[in-house]
Amino acid sequence: MNYSISLFSTINPLFFACLAVVVLLLAKAVYTYKNFETLHGKAIKELVLGGLCLIFVFAVFIVLPLLAGITVNENDLALRLPSGMTYETISQDDMISAKIVNLNDYPELAIKSKVVGAETRDYREGNFNLENGTEATVFYSGNTVLLVETANRTLLLGPDHFDEFVKYFGEKLVPVESSI
């Protein structure tokens, strides 16, 4: 089963601010091109730059979150976290334990700093340093997550349809205990 986080959790005011700046840049370039024949070369450069910036903004705020997700298979867990540069499959044999936790009740699991990844509002995706000094691979939007301890890393997972995800994870991989 594939699990992801809704695009609405990842879009924030920064997206709209960047989009507004790019649209203004493109509008200025079109205006310059139409009204000043001597500045056509400059206007074309601005159109190309504005187009590239528009592609970048959509890639960062729309495409990358759409690509991110978790796949639970019979014997493994596959993580696709593009902004966290994580594409890996974790074997069931490497998983030690799984536990549902509310991050408000576990201050040692709070995000201390970002190693590589993306974070906006409640959305977190990538590799982060936690308050307890460990590095964790995270993919969640909200406070309730599945804490998975593996042989060589900690995972904090909280995709949409969390209850369905936990049930399926517990059936296919490792029994899940609840601390809530």
Side-chain angles (χ1 to χ4, degrees):
M1 292 287 294
N2 293 316
Y3 298 93
S4 60
I5 293 178
S6 168
L7 187 61
F8 294 115
S9 298
T10 64
I11 294 179
N12 65 13
L14 183 59
F15 167 72
F16 296 108
C18 291
L19 192 60
V21 168
V22 170
V23 167
L24 285 174
L25 176 66
L26 289 171
K28 178 193 172 293
V30 168
Y31 177 80
T32 301
Y33 186 82
K34 285 185 173 182
N35 294 316
F36 302 100
E37 287 184 30
T38 58
L39 298 175
H40 276 206
K42 180 181 178 192
I44 290 172
K45 288 178 188 174
E46 288 177 353
L47 284 170
V48 169
L49 178 65
L52 292 173
C53 289
L54 187 63
I55 290 169
F56 177 75
V57 167
F58 277 109
V60 168
F61 289 100
I62 305 294
V63 176
L64 287 179
L66 286 175
L67 295 175
I70 303 168
T71 302
V72 178
N73 297 317
E74 286 294 324
N75 297 316
D76 58 40
L77 175 75
L79 298 173
R80 296 175 317 281
L81 309 176
S83 62
M85 293 188 244
T86 303
Y87 295 92
E88 69 179 299
T89 301
I90 300 167
S91 168
Q92 179 182 19
D93 298 334
D94 291 338
M95 294 181 203
I96 299 168
S97 66
K99 179 179 178 181
I100 300 172
V101 297
N102 185 323
L103 295 175
N104 293 332
D105 299 334
Y106 291 85
E108 66 274 11
L109 297 176
I111 301 293
K112 184 176 183 179
S113 64
K114 176 173 39 176
V115 176
V116 62
E119 57 182 323
T120 59
R121 297 187 305 187
D122 289 336
Y123 176 77
R124 306 264 187 288
E125 178 249 303
N127 296 319
F128 293 82
N129 290 320
L130 303 179
E131 287 293 335
N132 65 7
T134 62
E135 184 177 309
T137 300
V138 304
F139 181 65
Y140 66 84
S141 178
N143 289 326
T144 304
V145 299
L146 182 65
L147 169 65
V148 181
E149 295 290 340
T150 69
N152 44 351
R153 86 171 63 222
T154 300
L155 307 173
L156 296 174
L157 308 173
D160 287 350
H161 310 289
F162 182 72
D163 294 333
E164 178 187 321
F165 165 70
V166 168
K167 181 180 177 200
Y168 196 74
F169 183 94
E171 290 172 358
K172 299 296 179 186
L173 299 173
V174 177
V176 176
E177 57 180 278
S178 179
S179 68
I180 297 178

